[in-house]
Amino acid sequence: NNAKNKNHKKSKEEEHEWLEKAVALSTAIISVFLAISSIMGSKADGDSMTFLTHANDQWSYYQSKSIKQNLYEVNKNLIEAQLANPTNAKEYNDALKKKSEDFDAKISKYNTEKTDIQKQAENFQKMSEDSSAKADVYNYANGFYQVSIIIAAIALLAKKKYMWMLSCILGLVGLGFSVFAYLM
């Protein structure tokens, strides 16, 4: 009976030793995934800010083109008002018409440029939003990894195999989020 108790104690000790090694290994692996996910999430967050800065720069550029276009439109309207004066000399009206045509060309040029700038700004905004969404998914992954590591510590202290298994499952969920974020 005493030998049976010794074997039972030995098998319990072996089981606890096995659990300690399994928890240590899985925690190390999950920690590596947490570190990689944190780096990737930080990069995505930085990319989001960079793209947002580029979008803001493009919108500022768009606004400057709009202001210049508006100045030409105001000047064109002033010229058209002057053209309506019946006392103007023909040469003066010809010069005004030439200037009005120059303003029309510049207004048209600014319209075209603004369209291109707007497309670039919208593209940068989209890229920023995509990167921000990617960073959010990495943050979810990091949360699962962290909870997984905490549960693993509890499993080690409580010497409960089911807690370690739960830890592994949460780590796999985190890995799923990381893979999804990477593929975004």
Side-chain angles (χ1 to χ4, degrees), residues 17-98:
E17 187 178 316
W18 178 89
L19 181 62
E20 287 175 7
K21 289 178 182 177
V23 168
L25 179 61
S26 66
T27 301
I29 292 169
I30 292 168
S31 296
V32 168
F33 286 133
L34 172 60
I36 292 169
S37 181
S38 294
I39 291 167
M40 298 298 285
S42 293
K43 182 188 177 317
D45 208 24
D47 288 348
S48 175
M49 293 304 295
T50 300
F51 293 137
L52 185 59
T53 300
H54 288 313
N56 288 338
D57 289 347
Q58 288 302 109
W59 285 121
S60 295
Y61 190 41
Y62 178 91
Q63 190 63 33
S64 74
K65 294 289 184 177
S66 292
I67 291 169
K68 290 177 183 178
Q69 179 183 356
N70 287 340
L71 288 173
Y72 283 111
E73 288 170 349
V74 166
N75 284 325
K76 183 179 184 291
N77 289 339
L78 290 173
I79 287 174
E80 287 175 357
Q82 289 176 5
L83 280 170
N85 185 350
T87 62
N88 290 343
K90 180 180 178 337
E91 296 80 26
Y92 181 66
N93 277 348
D94 289 343
L96 289 176
K97 286 178 186 174
K98 171 84 171 97

Side-chain angles (χ1 to χ4, degrees), residues 142-156:
N142 294 347
F144 277 99
Y145 291 138
Q146 290 169 355
V147 171
S148 172
I149 291 168
I150 292 166
I151 301 278
I154 294 169
L156 194 58

Side-chain angles (χ1 to χ4, degrees), residues 80-120:
E80 287 175 357
Q82 289 176 5
L83 280 170
N85 185 350
T87 62
N88 290 343
K90 180 180 178 337
E91 296 80 26
Y92 181 66
N93 277 348
D94 289 343
L96 289 176
K97 286 178 186 174
K98 171 84 171 97
K99 199 63 167 164
S100 179
E101 289 170 4
D102 289 345
F103 287 165
D104 280 337
K106 290 191 184 216
I107 290 167
S108 176
K109 175 186 145 207
Y110 282 121
N111 264 335
T112 302
E113 289 175 349
K114 282 177 19 186
T115 301
D116 293 340
I117 294 166
Q118 180 179 5
K119 286 178 186 173
Q120 289 175 354

